[in-house]
Amino acid sequence: GISPINPSTSPMDFSTSTTTMADDDDAIHSNLADWITQNGGTIHSNLALHTPHVISTSVGGDGKEISNDGCKKDDISTTTQQCDDHPNRFSHRGIFAKHGPIKKGETLIRLPCQLALDGSQLPESYAISGSPNDTELTTSNNSTTRQRNASPWLRCLATLISAWCQQQLPHHSNDEDVNVVDGMVSKLSQSKPFNYYKPYLVSLPKEYDSLLNWSTVEIQSFLAGTALSVAALQDACTTTTVDSNAYAESKHERALHERFLKSVVPYLTVLKSNEPFLDVISCAHGNPKRQKMERASRADKKDVEQSNEMEHLYNLFREGCMCISTRAFHMQSPTAATATRSDTNAHDYQGPFLLPYIDLLNHSPRGSPKHVTTLRRDSDGSFFMVAERDIARDEEICHSYDSGAASDHSASVQSQMVKEESSSLNSAQLLQTFGFVDVDEAGSKLLDYYQKKDEKEHAPNLGNITPAVLTRKEISRACKQLASSSYPDTLRRSMDQSGMIDDGWECWQMPTWEESSYREALLKILSEELIIPLGGSLSDELITICCLHFLPDDAINELLDESTMKDKSDGESQPQSLLLGNEVLEDYFLGKLVLQAIINALKEKLNTYKVSSSDLREGSKQCKLTHQFLEFLGGFYRSESQNSESSFCWGESEMADVSVLSKMMSSHEGGHTDSLQKFRHGMVISLEERACLLELKKNISEILLQLD
């Protein structure tokens, strides 16, 4: 159902940990700041971590609070309330100038490079034995060795899993146990003490705003029609009824599990063979004296996947994916000549980096009033942030997550620094990567766009918005439907009656589609997905897909003879890429068919964004919270349509949707906040994609008028 996702047990909910997210913020902040300063870092004395007070909730209770700026909050996934001593100051977890103002130019944070949790110390490649599909935690002396590259992401993930497992290890009652544990992690930790990252791990949230934690119903309802929903869900759902606590067996989840088996497990297996890496996982899961993971036979891989250790490891992997995706940074490394780390591996490593304390800062877009600092990297490899303007007491410290990396060659800066660039991610990428959408900025631009889109002189200014996607399958279906309809005959009669055919204009019978024909072969060469950006231009691929359905056989054969056949060494021929441009639209009959097919495909695509409240109610009969949220949401839509009926739709009228989104941006509704946040995120992406489709539809309609 539409509700906060609360897994029964989080891999990071360590029973042996003495500090949890529910503990006092000051203690968490103090331990983390002390750890950083004791290791050569700097934390401004006026900074403090603030987390909301934690009060108990039921499944159907209030969700996490949402600030009306629409930005991501480093939330602890619990109900929030205002601080008793300062009732209006704080509403979400973050870093604030709580103890006093900060002057422009003062250092806020400096984090030494050795405190970053990353994968720079782990091997960049590894050799595996057996077939590429071998997922066992064993090796065979008789199998072929294969070399694989370990991505920076995989190496960072392995380091994070090791740190988590160290924290999960029970307290030991004798020196022998301590020596065993220390021996297991000594090589991986590279001279760092056991449980080195504990002050940082304690500061992490228990749950993450991630698409992996969206339920099936939430994806189907709030991201309906979007490319993101297509990627997250199966191609076809056999039922609309989804248990309120069930996760989707989605493409994303299946791909994640496959990646775990094919990439992560083999890498950790190699680490185990070189150092007692996985023994830490075994000890964390069970007996600390057990130093070998149970081996399963090659004949029964299912036992491996279902073993307790494998399940525990997969949970850590899944949690690590969300942690790295939502919290890690990528930055260019300083030059090798000035870097303090001796290993060359670290010189080329550009992330991901998990940066203690820095990742507690919340996001605010560059140029917004809340943006006060920028993440930079100094020549010694350290990460630092400087106040870029005066910061008032109690003001939050925010920076932009959406950044790249570029060198700063300013003459006023002696050391070479690497800093953030301007925004580069669209709303869908932000949601997929960081788990949030900048509703405030994107929503205001969408409101302005849709209010003025019919003005002739209006030029869309939506910035870097989410493009729409039309699949080759969707376009092909629209073409086949048009070809088999009465439209071609009606068009021929119109041309005949107007005298166009007498004047030499051509028309022809629609070709018969054969799956084994060169038409099908040429079609498969083209992209499966066509990006439709804002701007409304017709791509050559889009035109070509349509032409392959409408051109007569002799025309196809002529094109093949001229440019698309390539002789092979064995004498056979093979179709090559064939692209047709806007010039084919000058042919009236073909141009009308192509443009009308695209119009039809766009109409069908726009229909996929529509969600009916009655259908959602029917599919969630047992979920009381879903019905409560729909009743709350219906109030907005009924006020827009002046309709008192209980059922309503979103994704159908852009003006209604953008108006409701605008009202929700300033809503302080205390209940349904988790669902409300997800609805707003999805609606921004939906409206952005529909803007791209509508612009293309508008431009095609103008071309059709000119053609007539």
Side-chain angles (χ1 to χ4, degrees), residues 401-513:
Y401 293 176
D402 179 13
S403 60
S407 298
D408 182 3
H409 300 289
S410 172
S412 62
V413 182
Q414 293 182 355
S415 63
Q416 181 190 21
M417 296 183 294
V418 180
K419 66 177 185 178
E420 297 169 325
E421 282 182 337
S422 57
S423 297
S424 59
L425 300 182
N426 59 48
S427 296
Q429 291 169 330
L430 283 172
L431 181 60
Q432 192 171 28
T433 305
F434 297 114
F436 72 95
V437 172
D438 188 356
V439 177
D440 187 50
E441 181 177 0
S444 60
K445 290 181 178 179
L446 286 166
L447 180 63
D448 179 70
Y449 166 78
Y450 279 106
Q451 286 178 339
K452 300 178 180 178
K453 71 181 183 68
D454 293 330
E455 298 178 8
K456 291 184 178 181
E457 301 301 325
H458 175 61
N461 182 26
L462 292 175
N464 185 27
I465 73 165
T466 307
V469 173
L470 275 178
T471 67
R472 189 180 66 204
K473 184 177 179 180
E474 290 169 335
I475 302 164
S476 181
R477 183 170 58 246
C479 292
K480 291 176 181 178
Q481 289 174 350
L482 186 66
S484 61
S485 71
S486 61
Y487 184 81
D489 288 336
T490 302
L491 187 57
R492 277 193 297 268
R493 287 195 299 269
S494 174
M495 293 175 63
D496 188 28
Q497 293 171 1
S498 65
M500 292 181 65
I501 295 179
D502 292 338
D503 290 338
W505 291 90
E506 291 185 279
C507 61
W508 53 88
Q509 294 293 324
M510 291 295 96
T512 301
W513 189 269

Side-chain angles (χ1 to χ4, degrees), residues 5-11 13 207 247:
I5 304 298
N6 294 306
S8 57
T9 303
S10 168
D13 190 11
E207 296 178 8
Y247 285 95

